Amino acid sequence: MRRSQVTTVSLLAALALAACTNAKDVLDPSAVKPPANSAQALPATQGTSATTSPTTTSPAPTATAAASTPATPAQTAAIAKTRLQVAPIVGASVEAAAPLTAELQARARQRGVTLVGSTDQTATHVLKGYFSTMSEGKDTTVIYVWDVYDPSGNRLHRINGQQKAPSAGSTEGWPAVAPATMQAIADQTIDQFTAWLGSGGAG
C-alpha cells in the first residue's frame, strides 16, 4: 500500500496555506454555536460510532490528568468566564471534521466552557485547528495543531499531538479516519485547553 509521509515541513506549509484552503476542506465556524442550538448547528453525520478504540499518542498526558483533577475555585472561575470561538478547521474534510466539532461542543459543555459563534463579539479566546493525515499499512495517524489566540490575534498557547487508529476501510487519508478518532482528539483538545486555563492561561 502506498505510504503518505507527513513531515514537519509539510505541516508548516499547511499552516502557511491555511488562508488558501479550498472551502470544501473547511468546516465553517458557524457550525459551532452555544449548546441550545447544537442540534441544528452541526452538519449531518453518519456512522459516528467505531468498533475499535483509537490508541492515543498525544504527547501531553499531564493535561489530561490535570483535567480529571477537581478544579479549584479560581480555576473554575477562569473557565466559567471563557467564551471560546472555533475558527474554520483547516486540512480536514468536512466529513471528518463533523464528529470532531460535535464532540468539541459536548466536551466543552462538560468542562464548563461556553462556545460562541463566528460573529459573536464577546469571545475571549479563538481556537484555530490545522490537521493532516499519515497512512502506513492499515493504520492512519491524524496529526493536529491547535493555536489559541486572544480576540486581538495574539497567540497565547499551542496544543498539538497525534491520534492513531486502524483505518476505517481499505482507503487512505481522511476517508479512512473513523469518527471515534476525531472525537478522541476533541476530548483531548478541550481537556488540555481547560487545564491550561486552570493553570493561569499565560501561554
Side-chain angles (χ1 to χ4, degrees):
M1 181 177 291
R2 178 179 62 81
R3 295 186 177 183
S4 174
Q5 299 296 333
V6 175
T7 65
T8 300
V9 173
S10 64
L11 183 57
L12 291 176
L15 301 182
L17 294 174
C20 300
T21 300
N22 192 297
K24 69 179 181 181
D25 293 327
V26 176
L27 187 66
D28 192 287
S30 63
V32 182
K33 293 183 178 180
N37 298 322
S38 59
Q40 295 77 22
L42 296 169
T45 306
Q46 295 181 347
T48 55
S49 62
T51 57
T52 306
S53 297
T55 300
T56 301
T57 56
S58 174
T62 54
T64 302
S68 62
T69 304
T72 65
Q75 291 171 335
T76 300
I79 293 171
K81 70 180 182 181
T82 298
R83 296 177 64 81
L84 180 63
Q85 181 183 99
V86 180
I89 296 168
V90 176
S93 67
V94 172
E95 291 76 14
L100 171 81
T101 304
E103 187 64 18
L104 279 173
Q105 191 169 40
R107 195 68 162 193
R109 185 162 56 247
Q110 291 175 0
R111 297 300 185 200
V113 176
T114 299
L115 295 185
V116 299
S118 59
T119 60
D120 195 302
Q121 300 299 310
T122 66
T124 58
H125 298 79
V126 179
L127 186 66
K128 296 184 179 181
Y130 307 91
F131 285 72
S132 185
T133 61
M134 177 177 63
S135 297
E136 184 172 1
K138 294 183 179 180
D139 291 334
T140 296
T141 299
V142 178
I143 300 171
Y144 60 93
V145 175
W146 296 98
D147 282 332
V148 182
Y149 294 87
D150 67 15
S152 298
N154 301 305
R155 195 177 78 182
L156 304 175
H157 186 58
R158 170 166 283 186
I159 298 167
N160 60 71
Q162 303 178 29
Q163 188 73 17
K164 182 177 180 180
S167 297
S170 59
T171 57
E172 294 183 348
W174 288 113
V177 177
T181 301
M182 303 303 285
Q183 291 164 346
I185 291 173
D187 288 344
Q188 294 165 20
T189 298
I190 294 299
D191 287 353
Q192 292 179 39
F193 175 69
T194 54
W196 170 73
L197 285 175
S199 69

